[in-house]
mmCIF file with all atom_site columns, all heavy atoms in Angstrom:
data_model
loop_
_atom_site.group_PDB
_atom_site.id
_atom_site.type_symbol
_atom_site.label_atom_id
_atom_site.label_alt_id
_atom_site.label_comp_id
_atom_site.label_asym_id
_atom_site.label_entity_id
_atom_site.label_seq_id
_atom_site.pdbx_PDB_ins_code
_atom_site.Cartn_x
_atom_site.Cartn_y
_atom_site.Cartn_z
_atom_site.occupancy
_atom_site.B_iso_or_equiv
_atom_site.pdbx_formal_charge
_atom_site.auth_seq_id
_atom_site.auth_comp_id
_atom_site.auth_asym_id
_atom_site.auth_atom_id
_atom_site.pdbx_PDB_model_num
ATOM 1  N N   . GLY F 1 65 ? 21.077 2.713  -19.370 1.00 0.00 ? 65 GLY F N   1
ATOM 2  C CA  . GLY F 1 65 ? 20.260 3.408  -18.279 1.00 0.00 ? 65 GLY F CA  1
ATOM 3  C C   . GLY F 1 65 ? 18.790 3.237  -18.546 1.00 0.00 ? 65 GLY F C   1
ATOM 4  O O   . GLY F 1 65 ? 18.076 3.094  -17.425 1.00 0.00 ? 65 GLY F O   1
ATOM 5  N N   . ARG F 1 66 ? 18.271 2.845  -19.612 1.00 0.00 ? 66 ARG F N   1
ATOM 6  C CA  . ARG F 1 66 ? 16.855 2.602  -19.825 1.00 0.00 ? 66 ARG F CA  1
ATOM 7  C C   . ARG F 1 66 ? 16.449 1.256  -19.162 1.00 0.00 ? 66 ARG F C   1
ATOM 8  O O   . ARG F 1 66 ? 15.376 1.143  -18.582 1.00 0.00 ? 66 ARG F O   1
ATOM 9  C CB  . ARG F 1 66 ? 16.561 2.477  -21.346 1.00 0.00 ? 66 ARG F CB  1
ATOM 10 C CG  . ARG F 1 66 ? 16.859 3.571  -22.191 1.00 0.00 ? 66 ARG F CG  1
ATOM 11 C CD  . ARG F 1 66 ? 15.855 4.654  -22.549 1.00 0.00 ? 66 ARG F CD  1
ATOM 12 N NE  . ARG F 1 66 ? 14.463 4.266  -22.670 1.00 0.00 ? 66 ARG F NE  1
ATOM 13 C CZ  . ARG F 1 66 ? 13.787 4.503  -23.701 1.00 0.00 ? 66 ARG F CZ  1
ATOM 14 N NH1 . ARG F 1 66 ? 14.328 5.164  -24.768 1.00 0.00 ? 66 ARG F NH1 1
ATOM 15 N NH2 . ARG F 1 66 ? 12.494 4.371  -23.722 1.00 0.00 ? 66 ARG F NH2 1
ATOM 16 N N   . LEU F 1 67 ? 17.458 0.358  -19.125 1.00 0.00 ? 67 LEU F N   1
ATOM 17 C CA  . LEU F 1 67 ? 17.096 -0.892 -18.386 1.00 0.00 ? 67 LEU F CA  1
ATOM 18 C C   . LEU F 1 67 ? 17.405 -0.855 -16.946 1.00 0.00 ? 67 LEU F C   1
ATOM 19 O O   . LEU F 1 67 ? 16.710 -1.396 -16.066 1.00 0.00 ? 67 LEU F O   1
ATOM 20 C CB  . LEU F 1 67 ? 17.848 -2.046 -19.100 1.00 0.00 ? 67 LEU F CB  1
ATOM 21 C CG  . LEU F 1 67 ? 17.668 -2.299 -20.642 1.00 0.00 ? 67 LEU F CG  1
ATOM 22 C CD1 . LEU F 1 67 ? 18.563 -3.415 -21.089 1.00 0.00 ? 67 LEU F CD1 1
ATOM 23 C CD2 . LEU F 1 67 ? 16.277 -2.537 -20.860 1.00 0.00 ? 67 LEU F CD2 1
ATOM 24 N N   . ALA F 1 68 ? 18.502 -0.122 -16.630 1.00 0.00 ? 68 ALA F N   1
ATOM 25 C CA  . ALA F 1 68 ? 18.856 -0.023 -15.222 1.00 0.00 ? 68 ALA F CA  1
ATOM 26 C C   . ALA F 1 68 ? 17.814 0.632  -14.283 1.00 0.00 ? 68 ALA F C   1
ATOM 27 O O   . ALA F 1 68 ? 17.628 0.317  -13.217 1.00 0.00 ? 68 ALA F O   1
ATOM 28 C CB  . ALA F 1 68 ? 20.186 0.743  -15.039 1.00 0.00 ? 68 ALA F CB  1
ATOM 29 N N   . ALA F 1 69 ? 17.084 1.532  -14.991 1.00 0.00 ? 69 ALA F N   1
ATOM 30 C CA  . ALA F 1 69 ? 16.012 2.188  -14.216 1.00 0.00 ? 69 ALA F CA  1
ATOM 31 C C   . ALA F 1 69 ? 14.940 1.315  -13.733 1.00 0.00 ? 69 ALA F C   1
ATOM 32 O O   . ALA F 1 69 ? 14.246 1.603  -12.659 1.00 0.00 ? 69 ALA F O   1
ATOM 33 C CB  . ALA F 1 69 ? 15.390 3.346  -15.133 1.00 0.00 ? 69 ALA F CB  1
ATOM 34 N N   . ARG F 1 70 ? 14.854 0.154  -14.415 1.00 0.00 ? 70 ARG F N   1
ATOM 35 C CA  . ARG F 1 70 ? 13.785 -0.923 -14.062 1.00 0.00 ? 70 ARG F CA  1
ATOM 36 C C   . ARG F 1 70 ? 14.339 -1.819 -12.951 1.00 0.00 ? 70 ARG F C   1
ATOM 37 O O   . ARG F 1 70 ? 13.523 -2.808 -12.748 1.00 0.00 ? 70 ARG F O   1
ATOM 38 C CB  . ARG F 1 70 ? 13.307 -1.531 -15.230 1.00 0.00 ? 70 ARG F CB  1
ATOM 39 C CG  . ARG F 1 70 ? 12.558 -0.578 -16.154 1.00 0.00 ? 70 ARG F CG  1
ATOM 40 C CD  . ARG F 1 70 ? 11.776 -1.283 -17.308 1.00 0.00 ? 70 ARG F CD  1
ATOM 41 N NE  . ARG F 1 70 ? 10.826 -0.496 -17.922 1.00 0.00 ? 70 ARG F NE  1
ATOM 42 C CZ  . ARG F 1 70 ? 9.602  -0.743 -18.281 1.00 0.00 ? 70 ARG F CZ  1
ATOM 43 N NH1 . ARG F 1 70 ? 9.181  -2.005 -18.146 1.00 0.00 ? 70 ARG F NH1 1
ATOM 44 N NH2 . ARG F 1 70 ? 8.822  0.011  -18.874 1.00 0.00 ? 70 ARG F NH2 1
ATOM 45 N N   . LEU F 1 71 ? 15.488 -1.687 -12.433 1.00 0.00 ? 71 LEU F N   1
ATOM 46 C CA  . LEU F 1 71 ? 16.103 -2.652 -11.603 1.00 0.00 ? 71 LEU F CA  1
ATOM 47 C C   . LEU F 1 71 ? 15.920 -2.119 -10.163 1.00 0.00 ? 71 LEU F C   1
ATOM 48 O O   . LEU F 1 71 ? 16.484 -2.741 -9.147  1.00 0.00 ? 71 LEU F O   1
ATOM 49 C CB  . LEU F 1 71 ? 17.507 -2.959 -11.895 1.00 0.00 ? 71 LEU F CB  1
ATOM 50 C CG  . LEU F 1 71 ? 17.719 -3.727 -13.244 1.00 0.00 ? 71 LEU F CG  1
ATOM 51 C CD1 . LEU F 1 71 ? 19.175 -4.027 -13.456 1.00 0.00 ? 71 LEU F CD1 1
ATOM 52 C CD2 . LEU F 1 71 ? 17.119 -5.172 -13.108 1.00 0.00 ? 71 LEU F CD2 1
ATOM 53 N N   . ALA F 1 72 ? 15.282 -0.966 -9.907  1.00 0.00 ? 72 ALA F N   1
ATOM 54 C CA  . ALA F 1 72 ? 15.225 -0.457 -8.534  1.00 0.00 ? 72 ALA F CA  1
ATOM 55 C C   . ALA F 1 72 ? 14.636 -1.326 -7.563  1.00 0.00 ? 72 ALA F C   1
ATOM 56 O O   . ALA F 1 72 ? 14.877 -1.235 -6.301  1.00 0.00 ? 72 ALA F O   1
ATOM 57 C CB  . ALA F 1 72 ? 14.533 0.955  -8.627  1.00 0.00 ? 72 ALA F CB  1
ATOM 58 N N   . ALA F 1 73 ? 13.770 -2.238 -8.033  1.00 0.00 ? 73 ALA F N   1
ATOM 59 C CA  . ALA F 1 73 ? 13.102 -3.142 -7.035  1.00 0.00 ? 73 ALA F CA  1
ATOM 60 C C   . ALA F 1 73 ? 14.015 -4.001 -6.397  1.00 0.00 ? 73 ALA F C   1
ATOM 61 O O   . ALA F 1 73 ? 13.638 -4.740 -5.429  1.00 0.00 ? 73 ALA F O   1
ATOM 62 C CB  . ALA F 1 73 ? 11.953 -3.818 -7.907  1.00 0.00 ? 73 ALA F CB  1
ATOM 63 N N   . LEU F 1 74 ? 15.274 -4.151 -6.901  1.00 0.00 ? 74 LEU F N   1
ATOM 64 C CA  . LEU F 1 74 ? 16.163 -5.094 -6.332  1.00 0.00 ? 74 LEU F CA  1
ATOM 65 C C   . LEU F 1 74 ? 16.914 -4.502 -5.118  1.00 0.00 ? 74 LEU F C   1
ATOM 66 O O   . LEU F 1 74 ? 17.745 -5.227 -4.530  1.00 0.00 ? 74 LEU F O   1
ATOM 67 C CB  . LEU F 1 74 ? 17.121 -5.487 -7.364  1.00 0.00 ? 74 LEU F CB  1
ATOM 68 C CG  . LEU F 1 74 ? 16.629 -6.512 -8.343  1.00 0.00 ? 74 LEU F CG  1
ATOM 69 C CD1 . LEU F 1 74 ? 17.674 -6.741 -9.483  1.00 0.00 ? 74 LEU F CD1 1
ATOM 70 C CD2 . LEU F 1 74 ? 16.286 -7.772 -7.715  1.00 0.00 ? 74 LEU F CD2 1
ATOM 71 N N   . ILE F 1 75 ? 16.628 -3.249 -4.762  1.00 0.00 ? 75 ILE F N   1
ATOM 72 C CA  . ILE F 1 75 ? 17.356 -2.589 -3.598  1.00 0.00 ? 75 ILE F CA  1
ATOM 73 C C   . ILE F 1 75 ? 17.082 -3.377 -2.389  1.00 0.00 ? 75 ILE F C   1
ATOM 74 O O   . ILE F 1 75 ? 17.929 -3.564 -1.522  1.00 0.00 ? 75 ILE F O   1
ATOM 75 C CB  . ILE F 1 75 ? 16.890 -1.065 -3.531  1.00 0.00 ? 75 ILE F CB  1
ATOM 76 C CG1 . ILE F 1 75 ? 17.478 -0.298 -4.717  1.00 0.00 ? 75 ILE F CG1 1
ATOM 77 C CG2 . ILE F 1 75 ? 17.334 -0.537 -2.183  1.00 0.00 ? 75 ILE F CG2 1
ATOM 78 C CD1 . ILE F 1 75 ? 17.004 1.147  -4.792  1.00 0.00 ? 75 ILE F CD1 1
ATOM 79 N N   . GLY F 1 76 ? 15.747 -3.846 -2.143  1.00 0.00 ? 76 GLY F N   1
ATOM 80 C CA  . GLY F 1 76 ? 15.382 -4.615 -0.995  1.00 0.00 ? 76 GLY F CA  1
ATOM 81 C C   . GLY F 1 76 ? 16.361 -5.786 -0.855  1.00 0.00 ? 76 GLY F C   1
ATOM 82 O O   . GLY F 1 76 ? 16.778 -6.165 0.314   1.00 0.00 ? 76 GLY F O   1
#
Side-chain angles (χ1 to χ4, degrees):
Chain F
R66 305 264 326 236
L67 302 183
R70 291 188 168 223
L71 291 176
L74 286 172
I75 289 172

